[in-house]
Amino acid sequence: MGRRFLPLAIVLAGLYSGPAWADSATNVSFTSVDASTLRVFAVGTVGVATIQGHGFSVQVAEPQSGHGTGFAVERELILTANHVVDGARHVVVRLPGEGGFLPARVVFADKDADVAVLHVNASLTPIRMQTDNRSLRVRQTVYAVGYPLDPSRTQAQSSKGIVSGQLEDGQLQLDINLNPGNSGGPLVDEKDAVVGLVVARGDVAKGVQGIGMAVPVATLKTAVAEANKAIAGGNVRAVSTRDKMSAEVVDQLVRQGSLQSVKEADDFKKTFEHRDLDKRIDELARRIDDADLLVYVAGTLWNASLAVRYGGVRAIGTRTLSEPEAHTLARDLETTSIRLTKRGRELDATVGSRSSFVGVALGRESGLHTGAVVTAAYLPGSVVSVSGSARRSWSLSVFAAQRQNQEAGGGWGGSLDLRQTLTRGGFLFAWGVSAASVTLDSPQTISLRHSFVAFEAGMGVSFGLGRSRYLQFYGGIAPSYYSASAEDLMAMSTTQSDVVVDHFRATATLELGRWRLTSGLRLISSTTWLEPIGLGVSF
């Protein structure tokens, strides 16, 4: 199944307006082949793409979705390309025109041949298949029928070409122009009989143009026979009301995935001003009773939030957002994304094992993850700039501490540090509390203990060293309540305490995921406290 970042339109157009397409008036007639050729939508899990920058690491949701073509070969069976539906959690078939949509099941798949058979609870019009593949000849005219490029088209499109040869594995080589979306569609001859199934086009990136591949009829008939065996064996689960509701949501999301719907959304301004984002999303979410689909929607909202918050996206259709409006929209999108992810995990606790995005979204709720977006996928034809990334976390660290000065001698002890750190664009800002105590060796006393409790704040710089690895340098001031207690050789105890303002701290930290390895020093009045080694954890 093809992977791509869903555009911002799928969120904003889909939630702020109704379906953005309709049949246009036409005088062109379609044949029975076109009536049997269907659109196939597939939705899978949500992964995470990690993008490295200078001083930051970005985690962007990667929803997996596919759009292709299929064609009816029996009243309840549809042939399509396996790569269109491979790994899908939901497959939806939409009939030509306004014929409606159907949830589908993959009942047979041949990855090597790139052929899959879908089952639907319907009564479709089967397409006529050629009976003998040997009647094909080189330079014979053929037509690829399907739904290329724009999944919102309501009727199949045709491309003309010729059979240019046959490969050693039996696939047909075509001299024909194909586009994304043609995969899985029928290849027909001039009598409208199926002679193959379109599975691939030449790699344009390698300079290949006008070349396609198709699976011959003999392989297709074998796949259909295997699918019927699976059905006869009772291996096809019945379609439930829940499946139908999920199919409706998938159909709506994928069909609204073009940027034209945002650019032409004249009512966006009004709906935005009413700030009904949560209401619209909740209306959509209430129709979803599937964990994977909830996470899928959450992933699109997450990416939209990043695009608005960090990618500089301000122009949405005819509406230009002010900075406060953009901040509010980004916050609402992120919050809703996390809420839907939590609901998905409540429905199915195993969804996190399939979708790595679940951990990222729920981790963000506790301050572990955020990021900037570094991709032009949201707005094709433009480059989304990076204005910096942000990571906010709490950390708790334990240190070995040493104090050293000429008058009192030296000694060892320990310290504890609790702080919150905000890292943005390579700079870090931190505040927190710390406490320490050391016992000094002194010939004039039995014991000499120095302690403090401090509030500190400071800033520094952070350098990215790879995935979830950072090197941080920090400096700050730490006003403290400082005390010293001593017991002399006569067993007399004395205690002195004071508020100390000239307390400064500097640290160097290596952050490896959640773990922190730190080394630093403190200057407290005229004394030096070393913290040579500290181990901490972020949460």
Side-chain angles (χ1 to χ4, degrees), residues 81 83 114 171-172 174 176-179 182-184 197-203 211-215:
H83 72 265
D114 199 4
Q171 281 194 339
L172 305 175
L174 312 172
I176 195 169
N177 288 318
L178 300 174
N179 290 288
N182 272 123
S183 293
L197 179 147
V198 176
V199 292
R201 63 173 180 149
D203 190 343
I211 294 179
M213 302 297 172
V215 177

Side-chain angles (χ1 to χ4, degrees), residues 11-28:
V11 178
L12 298 180
L15 296 176
Y16 288 113
S17 63
W21 63 273
D23 280 329
S24 57
T26 177
N27 295 319
V28 176

Side-chain angles (χ1 to χ4, degrees), residues 522-534:
R522 297 175 184 269
L523 297 176
I524 306 178
S525 295
S526 61
T527 64
T528 301
W529 289 55
L530 298 178
E531 293 171 330
I533 187 70

Side-chain angles (χ1 to χ4, degrees), residues 506-530:
T507 62
T509 300
L510 179 62
E511 186 173 352
L512 306 171
R514 296 184 60 183
W515 297 99
R516 303 164 61 91
L517 188 64
T518 303
S519 181
L521 61 84
R522 297 175 184 269
L523 297 176
I524 306 178
S525 295
S526 61
T527 64
T528 301
W529 289 55
L530 298 178

Side-chain angles (χ1 to χ4, degrees), residues 460-483:
V461 292
S462 178
F463 301 94
L465 302 178
R467 186 170 182 175
S468 299
R469 298 187 179 121
Y470 305 91
L471 179 61
Q472 300 175 348
F473 296 96
Y474 162 85
I477 187 170
S480 57
Y481 178 81
Y482 189 91
S483 66

Side-chain angles (χ1 to χ4, degrees), residues 118-396:
L118 311 179
H119 177 268
V120 295
N121 288 346
S123 181
L124 305 175
T125 302
I127 200 168
R128 184 169 64 89
M129 299 181 72
Q130 190 183 67
T131 57
D132 188 355
N133 218 39
R134 289 175 295 180
S135 63
L136 276 177
R137 67 183 188 279
V138 175
R139 292 179 296 281
Q140 176 178 335
T141 299
V142 289
Y143 301 86
V145 185
Y147 293 87
L149 297 177
D150 185 358
S152 69
R153 297 292 290 266
T154 61
Q155 298 289 356
Q157 315 297 304
S158 296
S159 297
K160 182 179 179 180
I162 63 170
V163 176
S164 59
Q166 187 169 19
L167 304 181
E168 293 182 359
D169 61 2
Q171 281 194 339
L172 305 175
Q173 181 173 315
L174 312 172
D175 186 351
I176 195 169
N177 288 318
L178 300 174
N179 290 288
N182 272 123
S183 293
L187 185 72
V188 301
D189 62 15
E190 291 182 304
K191 297 180 180 180
D192 278 358
V194 174
V195 297
L197 179 147
V198 176
V199 292
R201 63 173 180 149
D203 190 343
V204 178
K206 295 181 179 180
V208 180
Q209 294 184 357
I211 294 179
M213 302 297 172
V215 177
V217 166
T219 304
L220 304 182
K221 290 182 177 179
T222 300
V224 172
E226 293 297 324
N228 279 316
K229 288 181 182 179
I231 295 171
N235 297 323
V236 178
R237 179 170 61 87
V239 174
S240 65
T241 302
R242 172 180 173 181
D243 295 324
K244 294 178 181 178
M245 293 177 63
S246 296
E248 180 184 357
V249 173
V250 172
D251 178 69
Q252 178 181 337
L253 288 176
V254 182
R255 291 168 69 210
Q256 290 177 339
S258 76
L259 283 175
Q260 283 85 352
S261 56
V262 164
K263 294 176 181 178
E264 298 170 1
D266 294 331
D267 62 339
F268 176 80
K269 179 178 180 180
K270 180 175 68 175
T271 54
F272 178 80
E273 288 177 343
H274 282 106
R275 299 187 181 276
D276 60 352
L277 174 66
D278 285 344
K279 178 182 177 181
R280 291 293 185 97
I281 295 175
D282 287 339
E283 287 176 356
L284 177 67
R286 277 195 295 270
R287 292 153 50 198
I288 305 175
D289 194 24
D290 180 88
D292 294 282
L293 195 51
L294 278 168
V295 173
Y296 180 88
V297 175
T300 64
L301 296 176
W302 176 274
N303 285 350
S305 171
L306 294 179
V308 174
R309 188 190 302 272
Y310 301 119
V313 174
R314 295 295 179 269
I316 308 296
T318 58
R319 171 73 159 161
T320 299
L321 306 182
S322 66
E323 287 303 315
E325 288 173 334
H327 176 78
T328 299
L329 178 60
R331 182 198 62 201
D332 291 346
L333 288 167
E334 181 187 82
T335 301
T336 306
S337 172
I338 293 172
R339 187 173 75 246
L340 295 187
T341 303
K342 290 175 66 176
R343 185 182 164 207
R345 192 178 64 173
E346 291 170 358
L347 287 173
D348 182 356
T350 67
V351 68
S353 64
R354 297 187 296 273
S355 294
S356 55
F357 170 72
V358 172
V360 173
L362 299 185
R364 174 66 182 91
E365 186 180 30
S366 60
L368 284 179
H369 302 278
T370 84
V373 59
V374 192
T375 177
Y378 297 101
L379 297 174
S382 65
V383 176
V384 178
S385 61
V386 178
S387 60
S389 65
R391 297 188 307 119
R392 186 189 302 273
S393 65
W394 283 93
S395 62
L396 181 65

Side-chain angles (χ1 to χ4, degrees), residues 57-92:
S57 178
V58 178
Q59 290 178 301
V60 182
E62 191 176 33
Q64 300 174 28
S65 67
H67 159 242
T69 303
F71 55 97
V73 290
E74 292 186 6
R75 297 179 72 86
E76 295 186 346
L77 293 184
I78 299 166
L79 276 169
T80 188
N82 180 71
H83 72 265
V84 173
V85 297
D86 187 29
R89 302 292 297 180
H90 297 278
V91 179
V92 176

